[in-house]
């Protein structure tokens, strides 16, 4: 679903989307207002892997391993095993604005395929996650207007150096809930 328009009344916001329309007293928005203002993006594709053999150590996670290819920018991977036969492997790339998304997608897919082939056993893909996070260290205005508060990446919750946001978003949600 995509937001088509937002109209602000005295005591509500009317939002039209591609599938519905709603009225709300307060809106929380994580939609970036100007995507071209971000100099750097973190693009990632993660695959859930299931193996026939015990190839993962659930006691050992690999975080921010920068030994990958740097053809398109700073690239790292991480591996989060949840059993000896199951793990999430993710290819992550910091890239400047304007790079061809199809080339980036192909880069991630090729890298992940090389990683899987090195495991030396039959692998089944059981899930996928993907995203592109805009990174910025610029200060943000949390109040877009009197009825709309910026949250998530638009609200400045992502750390520009890592793209990590979980702790900041958790703290922000607690603060909003207490207001």
């Amino acid at each position: 679903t995509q937001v088509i328009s937002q109209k602000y009344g005295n005591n509500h916001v009317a939002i039209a989307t591609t599938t519905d329309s709603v009225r709300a007293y307060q809106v929380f928005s994580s939609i970036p207002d100007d995507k071209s203002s971000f100099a750097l993006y973190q693009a990632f594709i993660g695959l859930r892997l299931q193996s026939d053999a015990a190839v993962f150590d659930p006691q050992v996670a690999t975080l921010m391993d920068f030994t990958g290819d740097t053809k398109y920018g700073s690239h790292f991977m991480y591996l989060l095993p949840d059993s000896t036969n199951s793990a999430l492997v993710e290819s992550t790339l910091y890239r400047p604005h304007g790079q061809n998304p199809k080339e980036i997608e192909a880069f991630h897919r090729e890298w992940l395929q090389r990683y899987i082939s090195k495991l030396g056993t039959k692998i089944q893909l059981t899930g996928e996650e993907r995203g592109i996070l805009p990174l910025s260290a610029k200060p943000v205005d949390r109040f877009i207007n009197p009825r709309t508060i910026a949250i998530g990446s638009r609200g400045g919750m992502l750390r520009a150096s890592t793209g990590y946001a979980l702790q900041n978003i958790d703290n922000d949600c607690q603060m909003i809930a207490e207001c």
Side-chain angles (χ1 to χ4, degrees):
T1 302
Q2 189 174 17
V3 173
I4 297 170
S5 68
Q6 296 181 51
K7 295 188 174 131
Y8 302 95
N10 290 337
N11 61 358
H12 72 278
V13 180
I15 302 169
T17 72
T18 51
T19 59
D20 203 359
S21 61
V22 295
R23 285 171 52 121
Y25 176 77
Q26 188 74 56
V27 174
F28 299 93
S29 178
S30 63
I31 303 169
D33 59 342
D34 181 10
K35 295 176 184 170
S36 65
S37 70
F38 297 100
L40 194 63
Y41 290 83
Q42 184 185 78
F44 61 89
I45 295 178
L47 300 177
R48 296 279 319 152
L49 308 178
Q50 185 72 37
S51 70
D52 290 340
V55 293
F56 304 114
D57 182 347
Q59 301 299 313
V60 178
T62 302
L63 303 175
M64 298 186 89
D65 178 347
F66 282 91
T67 58
D69 189 341
T70 58
K71 178 179 179 181
Y72 289 102
S74 183
H75 174 253
F76 67 91
M77 64 80 69
Y78 60 88
L79 177 70
L80 303 173
D82 52 11
S83 75
T84 59
N85 298 72
S86 176
L88 170 71
V89 62
E90 195 145 296
S91 171
T92 304
L93 179 69
Y94 291 104
R95 65 179 187 86
H97 176 68
Q99 281 187 330
N100 183 332
K102 289 182 181 179
E103 286 181 22
I104 300 302
E105 169 95 8
F107 169 81
H108 284 305
R109 295 267 175 218
E110 289 168 16
W111 186 90
L112 288 163
Q113 193 55 49
R114 284 194 309 268
Y115 178 84
I116 291 169
S117 68
K118 290 178 185 175
L119 294 174
T121 187
K122 185 178 178 187
I123 297 291
Q124 179 183 359
L125 302 180
T126 60
E128 178 174 317
E129 64 180 31
R130 64 177 53 236
I132 299 175
L133 305 174
L135 303 176
S136 176
K138 294 187 316 185
V140 298
D141 186 358
R142 293 295 305 273
F143 295 94
I144 299 166
N145 62 55
R147 300 226 171 268
T148 306
I149 297 174
I151 60 170
S153 59
R154 185 170 185 179
M157 298 295 117
L158 274 79
R159 291 185 182 159
S161 59
T162 63
Y164 183 72
L166 183 63
Q167 185 174 6
N168 289 344
I169 289 173
D170 183 52
N171 292 339
D172 193 47
C173 289
Q174 287 180 30
M175 183 186 72
I176 290 170
E178 291 169 2
C179 288

